[in-house]
Amino acid sequence: MEYLVRVEQEIDFSRAEKAMISNYKWTEGYTPEAYGQLIYVEGKGFALRMTAVESNPKAEYTARFNDPVYKDSCLEFFVNFDNGDKYMNFEMNSNGSFLAAVRSDRANKTPINMLAPLPRVKATKEEDKWSVEVFFSNDLIGKLFGKFSFGRGESFKGNFYKCGDETEIPHFGMWAPIDNPTPDFHRPEFFGTFKIED
């Protein structure tokens, strides 16, 4: 799968493609509409917005970085900005609480606050949906991945996810399908392609 990342001079999600999280392989009975959007602000970094259509998302975690927000209703962005052997998992609930690490696999991880200052997550709740936004500056990406700049036509790998491990109806949705018999988002071999527009 491929997602075209628009290049903009400022953040404007109204023009960004929606990557629909429509593959609910390990779920029965609950498949909420959800999607991710990504923009490259030229010379500055990547703006991410993720949205889920849910009127009452579970959101028990409220404050601390690296709380297990995947147990709540959660939106997640996994990305490998440098196409190397590391990836970042960035997981957020509707309170804006999040956990994030750079990993080589599920077990081997370094929380991002040990490598760089934490970005801010902006959460918005509406009557029938919620969204989260975060900006990954070129400087932050450089500290995490060693890649400080991006150009038109470049590509990298990643995936968008929607989950709720301990919600009333546990659910596991993804944009790029994962071929695994049990729920496991930590499978970078199944990441889709993100291409910065030419």
Side-chain angles (χ1 to χ4, degrees), residues 12 19 24 27 32 39 58 61 69 77 80 113 131 151 163-164 177-178:
D12 180 4
Y24 282 89
T27 300
I39 295 168
K58 180 180 178 183
Y61 295 99
V69 292
F77 178 56
N80 177 340
N113 64 329
S131 63
C163 70
I178 294 173

Side-chain angles (χ1 to χ4, degrees), residues 79-87 141 145 147 150 153-158 188 191-194:
V79 65
N80 177 340
F81 279 114
D82 68 347
N83 291 317
D85 59 0
K86 298 184 296 185
Y87 67 95
I141 294 167
F145 289 91
K147 181 172 176 60
F150 295 84
E154 285 191 59
S155 63
F156 53 94
K157 299 286 190 176
F191 284 176
T193 299
F194 293 84

Side-chain angles (χ1 to χ4, degrees), residues 113-192:
N113 64 329
M114 295 181 68
L115 303 169
L118 292 174
R120 187 177 73 87
V121 174
K122 176 187 173 186
T124 305
K125 291 183 187 180
E126 299 178 40
E127 185 175 342
D128 62 344
K129 66 182 179 180
W130 62 279
S131 63
V132 282
E133 294 180 23
V134 63
F135 188 78
F136 302 105
S137 68
N138 284 347
D139 184 61
L140 172 66
I141 294 167
K143 288 175 180 173
L144 300 179
F145 289 91
K147 181 172 176 60
F148 288 87
S149 64
F150 295 84
R152 293 173 186 261
E154 285 191 59
S155 63
F156 53 94
K157 299 286 190 176
N159 211 341
F160 297 110
Y161 302 117
K162 169 72 179 81
C163 70
D165 288 28
E166 295 184 3
T167 56
E168 184 176 347
I169 304 175
H171 54 282
F172 307 91
M174 65 211 83
W175 165 64
I178 294 173
D179 184 14
N180 197 64
T182 57
D184 187 0
F185 290 164
H186 293 269
R187 301 296 298 268
E189 65 269 33
F190 296 112
F191 284 176

Side-chain angles (χ1 to χ4, degrees), residues 98-115:
F98 69 100
L99 66 82
V102 173
R103 305 169 173 266
S104 56
D105 55 40
R106 177 182 283 280
N108 297 299
K109 65 180 180 179
T110 302
I112 65 169
N113 64 329
M114 295 181 68
L115 303 169

Side-chain angles (χ1 to χ4, degrees), residues 50-115:
M50 297 190 70
T51 302
V53 179
E54 292 181 304
S55 58
N56 189 26
K58 180 180 178 183
E60 292 187 357
Y61 295 99
T62 59
R64 294 188 318 187
F65 169 66
N66 260 357
D67 276 341
V69 292
Y70 55 84
K71 295 179 180 181
D72 286 343
S73 182
C74 189
L75 289 163
E76 304 183 357
F77 178 56
F78 283 35
V79 65
N80 177 340
F81 279 114
D82 68 347
N83 291 317
D85 59 0
K86 298 184 296 185
Y87 67 95
M88 176 181 64
N89 62 300
F90 205 95
E91 309 176 16
M92 302 159 281
N93 71 6
S94 62
N95 291 325
S97 294
F98 69 100
L99 66 82
V102 173
R103 305 169 173 266
S104 56
D105 55 40
R106 177 182 283 280
N108 297 299
K109 65 180 180 179
T110 302
I112 65 169
N113 64 329
M114 295 181 68
L115 303 169

